[in-house]
Amino acid sequence: MIGAMTAPVLEVVEVRKRYGPTVALDGVSLAIGGGELFGLLGPNGAGKTTLIGILTGLTDADAGTVRLFGEPFDRSRRDLRRLVGIGTQDLSIYPDLTARENVRFFGKLYGMGGTDLSARIEEVLSAVGLADRGDDRAGTFSGGMKRRLNLAVAVVHRPRLVFLDEPTTGVDPQSRNHIYQQVKALNAAGVTVVYTSHYLEEVEHLCRRIAVLDGGKILACDTLPSLLKTLDASLRIAAANAPADFADRLAALDGVKRVEPRPDGYKLVADDLPPVLAKVAALCAAAGATLTAVSTREPTLERVFLHLTGRELRD
């Protein structure tokens, strides 16, 4: 569901792709609404790179359909490809060109020229914090500066849909903050962004909806709060002077799904911990018990990812 978002700018229906005996994509379907900042996660070998290649017109699917801005899309649709930008994981910039020359080169690839291109070059260099380094060769830049320039060349042509594949790999905190701010600014200006990263905290911070891809299939696609609800939260407590029926009384509390007695106390499983913790404290006071230890474990995107795929993101 896209909810209050505009109509989908990108629709993928049962897309399949093979490389010889290897199935890269096995019936992938998803829809991304206009104005979304959408997260796409998947371990190495999940099919993510293949999917991005199809969705940016670099390769064609073997089967299934892709619609971009309501129109059928494949690599032959040059008119639609001009509406898409991609910030690749492997840097696209040329080290022997200056920052300004790099941006000009990519602008011309998309048919830009004249005063419009000149003005846009200065605009994007300023946006990524490289206005004062425009005449320096990209090969002299730090890793973070190269990533920021990579973002500039991806958006110079004013795309309506941008794919950012690992845009903060190997960057310093200052450059990461620059990239965050530019991603947010692009999205606030109405650009739809598909964001992939091995840093799950980035996706949690930036993206409202997230898809998890593995084995060529979409395992889950939902809002972050809904994904987190697929796992339980847990509360561990120790209580001195607890009565013999304390575990039963804990289990009877509203919001507690189950209680597991432990040698050092009790583990409570619940959907929402704060109200349960308040009720546990009240029960202890009523039962004459004293809480001596409390620890909580909330669901995280990393835990959900491991639950769905069974492996680390950097597998």
Side-chain angles (χ1 to χ4, degrees), residues 91-95 102 106 138 141 145-147 149-150 153:
L91 294 170
S92 299
I93 59 177
Y94 293 92
N102 266 286
F106 281 93
F141 287 178
M145 293 167 67
K146 289 175 181 176
R147 283 285 167 194
L149 181 58
N150 206 52
V153 303

Side-chain angles (χ1 to χ4, degrees), residues 12-254:
V12 183
V13 181
E14 287 293 315
V15 163
R16 301 177 185 275
K17 183 72 175 179
R18 298 178 67 100
Y19 295 102
T22 302
V23 178
L25 297 175
D26 189 13
V28 169
S29 297
L30 60 85
I32 298 174
E36 279 204 85
L37 208 172
F38 185 90
L40 180 62
L41 298 177
N44 292 341
K48 186 176 58 177
T49 299
T50 299
L51 179 60
I52 291 175
I54 291 170
L55 302 185
T56 54
L58 299 177
T59 188
D60 284 331
D62 295 335
T65 60
V66 177
R67 296 183 67 83
L68 186 63
F69 302 105
E71 303 221 10
F73 179 66
D74 57 35
R75 64 187 306 186
S76 69
R77 293 296 304 268
R78 291 179 176 271
D79 56 331
L80 294 178
R81 290 173 65 182
R82 292 177 183 273
L83 304 178
V84 179
I86 179 169
T88 55
Q89 181 177 0
D90 295 326
L91 294 170
S92 299
I93 59 177
Y94 293 92
D96 291 333
L97 298 181
T98 68
R100 189 168 281 108
E101 288 168 342
N102 266 286
V103 180
R104 182 176 298 279
F105 173 78
F106 281 93
K108 286 185 174 181
L109 284 182
Y110 284 96
M112 301 179 71
T115 57
D116 177 49
L117 176 56
S118 296
R120 182 61 176 165
I121 291 169
E122 302 312 312
E123 182 180 349
V124 295
L125 287 178
S126 177
V128 300
L130 293 175
D132 60 339
R133 300 295 299 272
D135 292 323
D136 294 344
R137 288 193 308 109
T140 67
F141 287 178
S142 68
M145 293 167 67
K146 289 175 181 176
R147 283 285 167 194
R148 284 148 54 191
L149 181 58
N150 206 52
L151 176 60
V153 303
V155 301
V156 61
H157 58 297
R158 302 184 183 91
R160 292 168 56 190
L161 171 64
V162 175
F163 290 83
L164 298 179
D165 191 9
E166 305 290 346
T168 63
T169 297
V171 308
D172 56 273
Q174 181 184 24
S175 289
R176 177 171 281 121
N177 185 62
H178 264 295
I179 291 170
Y180 281 173
Q181 296 307 315
Q182 285 311 300
V183 170
K184 291 177 180 178
L186 279 170
N187 189 238
V191 178
T192 303
V193 180
V194 178
Y195 193 97
T196 78
S197 178
H198 282 116
Y199 303 115
L200 292 175
E201 68 275 11
E202 292 185 359
V203 178
E204 284 184 303
H205 175 66
L206 292 170
C207 302
R208 180 178 178 274
R209 279 203 313 143
I210 300 162
V212 178
L213 177 71
D214 195 20
K217 295 177 179 289
I218 297 290
L219 302 184
C221 182
D222 213 328
T223 63
L224 178 60
S226 293
L227 288 174
L228 295 181
K229 287 181 180 178
T230 62
L231 295 181
D232 293 322
S234 63
L235 170 68
R236 292 175 182 256
I237 66 168
N241 303 316
D245 65 345
F246 195 58
D248 292 334
R249 295 168 72 173
L250 287 170
L253 293 175
D254 186 36

